Amino acid sequence: MKFNIKRTVLLNALSRVSRSVSLKSPLPVLTGIKFDLKTDGLILTGSDSDISIQTKVTEDIEIIETGSVVLSSKYILEIVRKIASDTISFEILDGALTRIDGGSSQFNLNGTPAFDYPRIDFSKKGTLITIDSEILKRLIEETSFATSENEIRPALTGVNFHAANNQLTCIATDSYRLAQATSPIPDDNTFNIIIPKKSLVEISRIIEKDEPIDIYVEDKKILFIIDEYMIISRLIDSSYPDTSRLISDYYEFELTVSSHTLLGAIDRTTLLSNEDKNLVTLTMDPDHVTMTSNSQEVGSVEEDLPKAFYKGEPLSISFSGKYLADAIRAINSDKVKLEFSAPMRPFIVKDLESDDNIQLVLPVRN
Amino acid sequence: MKFNIKRTVLLNALSRVSRSVSLKSPLPVLTGIKFDLKTDGLILTGSDSDISIQTKVTEDIEIIETGSVVLSSKYILEIVRKIASDTISFEILDGALTRIDGGSSQFNLNGTPAFDYPRIDFSKKGTLITIDSEILKRLIEETSFATSENEIRPALTGVNFHAANNQLTCIATDSYRLAQATSPIPDDNTFNIIIPKKSLVEISRIIEKDEPIDIYVEDKKILFIIDEYMIISRLIDSSYPDTSRLISDYYEFELTVSSHTLLGAIDRTTLLSNEDKNLVTLTMDPDHVTMTSNSQEVGSVEEDLPKAFYKGEPLSISFSGKYLADAIRAINSDKVKLEFSAPMRPFIVKDLESDDNIQLVLPVRN
């Protein structure tokens, strides 16, 4: 293996591929990135066995002699980041010992032979749907934060992607709050899968421009084709709970308020509260809306919510301020509407105009 | 206690005073800041018993009723930071329960009665010297990083300040490297004390403008008067080792090199080395200077140092790359001069023109 490559091009590709690499992988070879130099380009592969990323660099590279090697993700990324020259030269000296040259620096890095690297199947198989990258990014950002951190119910650690009747519905819940985002899709394919949150976060990070993304859904894995990158994620092998009855069709009371005002009030009201719970109480009547919290030990806070418009019977409801703040940030609009039915029933948060993104928060007995 | 105050003025004072407060103080009252409202201003005091900071706010404050209370440093700082209004009102409601009002927010914060707060003596006693704030800052920055983290020899955890014959000499060493910075001073006072590193770092942070600083040195403590702030630090009760013979008068060989080039070379050469040791080897003859490092497991690096001018016999010397980088940053000039006498003798790093700041690094057997 021998080639010269533009430093920024390699750094960009390595930065993204390395996102799939775990430095704590039980399989040592997976702490590395596989360099596979073909006559038409350099294929870079990283994997932590949950998620695998592959790309092919075909421009700004001068291929001298094909070959392959696995180089430590941690060291190769730092070397390419810190070498002070526009072009870097790579050459396998002996077995897997690789010389990396650039500027006044010369590194000899011990690699691992490429035949030790597991074979990862990036072939395009299964059900295909095509979705705009910006829409996929929106669906991920509006839901993935609401997944559970608790491994006891594996299904809840991922986002449920459900396609049917030209619509894609994404749902995440940790059983204390729920996020649902929907989008029309051109393909009338049906599937119902759970994608691990970590994979979705990496996919969202890799998306840089607005373009159509091909997604191939198989039984146990899913393949995303984003620009020059192929990303495979395992699917969570579990059935997702039926959450359809949590969101009711009818809410009697509603509060309309500026997102900025509400986020500011939550920020200050949760200041003195227990960090785990962040419990706040919203007390509403048509004349007056306040948010309060109380800690026996530290003290209490009361926030007036100016220009908050409430329609309904007087209502007092307690819940996690953090969950409401997460929901408002996911809605990402100037104003939000909160809809309530009763003090101990879940309430929803949404945009004033659209139902594409519905956030649901469960109240807490105070 | 009742007063109104401009939010930014209080935030600025609290931010600085709170730097002396440790949230883990064994004395719970010391996790708070003492508010002492007099007829002519608000005195704020913080202390972790090693360092104490006091200031008096006399402007942008409307004093309604004098009084005092201790408020949790953590909470009061966050409250004042996050309240959305220009002016904040304080009022003791009952005992130590304090109401803090601003914008649409109202906080009731449980305080501690001020009589529980220890008495701290900020009176001006002892030997006085006056020094320019920018010089004091320079002396601290050129030395304090070289103190030891190891509590076994308490003297080495602080910086030795030695005044005599109108000169102030500051020395820090962790016994693997040494930093010495000197400055002429107007007062011909004599003292020889050790100031804890942490106190010096806080003092350096509090200095904002160029002004003369009065320093009162007593047996067990030192008082700095910086702008509106009084800072007391305990002194380390130990004698400082005699380091005068470490820096020799005569070095045979010298290397002159751009600081930027040398820092870049260290950064890359230590990439593959053990993070604790960061061992590098400098190999010099008048024609060629290289820096290398070698890790059996990971690989090796070789850096050419272009435009490095070496005068002397061929020499190869191994040392901690991190210590040399620290020394170069402390020198803070475009070029540095390294002076050597033998492979296993300490070498020094200094500015080309001045001896005000001398950094010494001990070699390591490789």
Side-chain angles (χ1 to χ4, degrees):
Chain A
M1 186 184 86
K2 189 171 177 182
F3 64 97
N4 303 319
I5 191 165
K6 192 172 170 185
R7 193 184 69 87
T8 50
V9 167
L10 180 60
L11 180 57
N12 189 25
L14 282 176
S15 306
R16 289 165 167 213
V17 169
S18 70
R19 301 206 60 91
S20 65
V21 177
S22 161
L23 299 181
K24 297 174 198 149
S25 178
L27 201 62
V29 73
L30 287 187
T31 62
I33 291 175
K34 185 177 160 197
F35 282 62
D36 195 1
L37 187 66
K38 306 288 190 190
T39 52
D40 60 343
L42 172 66
I43 301 171
L44 298 169
T45 311
S47 175
D48 73 351
S49 71
D50 279 352
I51 181 170
S52 305
I53 304 180
Q54 185 170 89
T55 192
K56 188 169 187 171
V57 180
T58 53
E59 285 174 25
D60 297 310
I61 181 167
E62 184 194 354
I63 295 156
I64 299 162
E65 191 187 337
T66 60
S68 55
V69 71
V70 179
L71 298 175
S72 153
S73 168
K74 175 179 149 194
Y75 292 118
I76 191 62
L77 198 59
E78 284 300 295
I79 289 172
V80 174
R81 184 173 286 136
K82 292 189 169 173
I83 276 186
S85 72
D86 289 342
T87 303
I88 304 183
S89 306
F90 280 75
E91 182 181 4
I92 296 181
L93 294 183
D94 179 20
L97 180 67
T98 306
R99 169 159 296 176
I100 303 149
D101 255 299
S104 51
S105 317
Q106 184 174 86
F107 291 82
N108 288 334
L109 188 62
N110 291 328
T112 308
F115 54 74
D116 286 351
Y117 201 83
R119 204 183 106 69
I120 301 165
D121 180 10
F122 284 91
S123 63
K124 298 166 185 171
K125 287 184 296 199
T127 308
L128 169 67
I129 66 163
T130 303
I131 190 167
D132 186 84
S133 61
E134 291 301 315
I135 293 175
L136 179 61
K137 201 167 182 165
R138 172 178 76 77
L139 293 171
I140 294 171
E141 283 167 2
E142 288 174 352
T143 55
S144 59
F145 68 91
T147 52
S148 171
E149 303 287 327
N150 191 328
E151 296 286 340
I152 289 176
R153 291 182 67 187
L156 302 191
T157 64
V159 178
N160 177 217
F161 276 61
H162 179 205
N165 309 319
N166 293 91
Q167 170 153 305
L168 180 61
T169 303
C170 300
I171 294 175
T173 180
D174 59 7
S175 76
Y176 302 105
R177 40 95 177 256
L178 177 145
Q180 174 182 298
T182 54
S183 172
I185 46 170
D187 312 280
D188 185 17
N189 284 322
T190 302
F191 57 79
N192 193 354
I193 55 172
I194 309 171
I195 308 177
K197 177 198 175 176
K198 180 176 177 295
S199 302
L200 292 171
V201 170
E202 296 308 340
I203 284 159
S204 177
R205 282 191 177 135
I206 283 179
I207 293 171
E208 262 190 357
K209 53 187 176 192
D210 196 0
E211 62 180 329
I213 292 177
D214 284 346
I215 303 176
Y216 292 86
V217 181
E218 290 183 65
D219 267 5
K220 305 226 175 253
K221 66 180 204 228
I222 185 166
L223 169 67
F224 296 81
I225 316 249
I226 303 174
D227 202 8
E228 303 298 315
Y229 293 82
M230 296 201 284
I231 302 115
I232 288 175
S233 169
R234 74 170 174 95
L235 298 177
I236 295 174
D237 189 14
S238 178
S239 61
Y240 205 75
D242 178 16
T243 59
S244 58
R245 274 176 306 180
L246 269 171
I247 300 173
S248 90
D249 290 334
Y250 181 67
Y251 291 91
E252 228 172 328
F253 316 135
E254 67 176 57
L255 175 71
T256 309
V257 60
S258 135
S259 299
H260 178 78
T261 301
L262 198 48
L263 284 173
I266 295 168
D267 194 24
R268 288 183 293 269
T269 314
T270 54
L271 252 181
L272 307 187
S273 68
N274 181 308
E275 277 176 31
D276 288 340
K277 291 189 185 153
N278 286 301
L279 198 67
V280 301
T281 301
L282 205 49
T283 304
M284 299 166 281
D285 69 46
D287 295 331
H288 199 200
V289 178
T290 61
M291 186 179 281
T292 54
S293 88
N294 194 5
S295 148
Q296 193 72 33
E297 204 184 321
V298 185
S300 62
V301 195
E302 182 172 328
E303 278 279 331
D304 278 328
L305 289 177
K307 295 191 189 162
F309 298 100
Y310 179 68
K311 277 197 301 193
E313 297 292 311
L315 183 74
S316 183
I317 186 166
S318 299
F319 52 87
S320 154
K322 178 187 180 302
Y323 285 174
L324 178 55
D326 286 348
I328 297 165
R329 285 193 199 99
I331 302 290
N332 191 23
S333 82
D334 288 349
K335 288 192 171 187
V336 286
K337 186 151 77 173
L338 279 64
E339 297 184 344
F340 307 88
S341 53
M344 283 315 294
R345 293 283 304 157
F347 66 93
I348 64 170
V349 189
K350 57 187 202 178
D351 186 75
L352 264 55
E353 327 268 81
S354 151
D355 280 351
D356 288 353
N357 180 206
I358 293 178
Q359 303 286 336
L360 181 134
V361 178
L362 268 70
V364 176
R365 207 172 289 277
N366 196 1
Chain B
M1 186 184 85
K2 190 171 177 182
F3 65 97
N4 303 320
I5 190 164
K6 192 172 170 184
R7 193 184 69 87
T8 49
V9 168
L10 180 59
L11 181 58
N12 189 26
L14 283 176
S15 305
R16 290 165 165 213
V17 169
S18 70
R19 300 205 61 91
S20 64
V21 177
S22 160
L23 299 181
K24 296 176 200 149
S25 177
L27 201 62
V29 74
L30 287 187
T31 62
I33 291 175
K34 185 176 160 196
F35 283 63
D36 195 1
L37 187 66
K38 305 288 189 190
T39 51
D40 60 343
L42 172 66
I43 300 171
L44 298 169
T45 311
S47 174
D48 73 350
S49 72
D50 279 352
I51 181 170
S52 305
I53 305 180
Q54 185 170 90
T55 191
K56 187 168 188 172
V57 180
T58 54
E59 285 174 26
D60 297 309
I61 183 167
E62 183 194 354
I63 295 156
I64 300 163
E65 191 187 337
T66 61
S68 56
V69 71
V70 179
L71 298 176
S72 152
S73 167
K74 175 180 152 195
Y75 291 119
I76 192 62
L77 197 60
E78 283 300 293
I79 289 171
V80 173
R81 184 172 286 137
K82 291 189 170 175
I83 276 185
S85 72
D86 289 342
T87 304
I88 304 184
S89 306
F90 280 74
E91 182 180 5
I92 295 180
L93 294 182
D94 179 20
L97 180 67
T98 306
R99 169 160 295 174
I100 303 148
D101 255 298
S104 50
S105 317
Q106 185 174 85
F107 291 82
N108 289 332
L109 188 62
N110 290 328
T112 307
F115 54 75
D116 286 351
Y117 200 85
R119 204 183 108 68
I120 300 165
D121 181 9
F122 283 91
S123 63
K124 298 167 185 173
K125 286 183 299 201
T127 310
L128 169 67
I129 66 161
T130 302
I131 190 166
D132 186 83
S133 60
E134 291 301 315
I135 293 174
L136 179 61
K137 203 167 179 163
R138 172 178 77 77
L139 293 171
I140 294 171
E141 283 167 4
E142 289 173 352
T143 56
S144 59
F145 68 91
T147 53
S148 171
E149 304 287 328
N150 192 329
E151 297 286 340
I152 288 175
R153 290 182 68 185
L156 301 192
T157 65
V159 178
N160 178 219
F161 276 62
H162 179 206
N165 311 320
N166 292 89
Q167 169 152 307
L168 181 61
T169 303
C170 300
I171 294 174
T173 179
D174 59 6
S175 75
Y176 302 105
R177 38 98 177 256
L178 177 144
Q180 173 183 298
T182 52
S183 172
I185 45 170
D187 312 280
D188 185 17
N189 285 321
T190 301
F191 57 80
N192 193 355
I193 55 172
I194 309 170
I195 307 178
K197 177 199 177 178
K198 181 177 176 293
S199 303
L200 292 171
V201 170
E202 297 307 341
I203 284 158
S204 178
R205 281 192 177 132
I206 282 179
I207 293 171
E208 264 189 356
K209 52 187 179 193
D210 196 2
E211 61 181 330
I213 292 178
D214 284 348
I215 303 176
Y216 293 86
V217 181
E218 290 183 65
D219 267 5
K220 306 226 173 252
K221 66 179 206 231
I222 185 165
L223 169 66
F224 295 82
I225 316 253
I226 304 174
D227 202 9
E228 302 298 316
Y229 294 82
M230 296 200 286
I231 302 114
I232 289 175
S233 170
R234 73 170 174 93
L235 297 177
I236 294 174
D237 189 15
S238 178
S239 62
Y240 205 76
D242 178 16
T243 58
S244 57
R245 274 176 306 180
L246 269 172
I247 300 174
S248 90
D249 288 335
Y250 181 68
Y251 291 92
E252 225 172 330
F253 315 136
E254 67 177 55
L255 175 71
T256 308
V257 61
S258 136
S259 299
H260 178 78
T261 300
L262 198 47
L263 284 173
I266 296 168
D267 194 24
R268 288 183 293 270
T269 314
T270 53
L271 251 181
L272 307 187
S273 67
N274 181 309
E275 278 177 29
D276 287 341
K277 292 190 186 151
N278 286 301
L279 198 66
V280 301
T281 301
L282 207 48
T283 304
M284 297 165 284
D285 69 46
D287 294 330
H288 199 202
V289 178
T290 61
M291 185 179 281
T292 53
S293 89
N294 194 5
S295 147
Q296 193 71 33
E297 203 185 323
V298 185
S300 61
V301 195
E302 182 172 330
E303 279 279 332
D304 277 328
L305 289 178
K307 295 189 189 167
F309 298 101
Y310 180 70
K311 279 196 298 194
E313 296 293 310
L315 183 72
S316 182
I317 186 165
S318 299
F319 51 87
S320 155
K322 180 185 178 302
Y323 286 174
L324 178 56
D326 286 347
I328 297 165
R329 286 193 198 97
I331 303 290
N332 191 24
S333 83
D334 288 348
K335 288 192 172 188
V336 285
K337 186 152 76 175
L338 280 63
E339 297 184 344
F340 308 87
S341 53
M344 283 316 295
R345 291 285 303 157
F347 65 94
I348 64 169
V349 190
K350 58 185 202 179
D351 187 74
L352 263 55
E353 326 269 80
S354 152
D355 279 352
D356 289 352
N357 180 205
I358 292 177
Q359 303 286 335
L360 180 134
V361 177
L362 268 70
V364 176
R365 207 171 289 277
N366 196 3

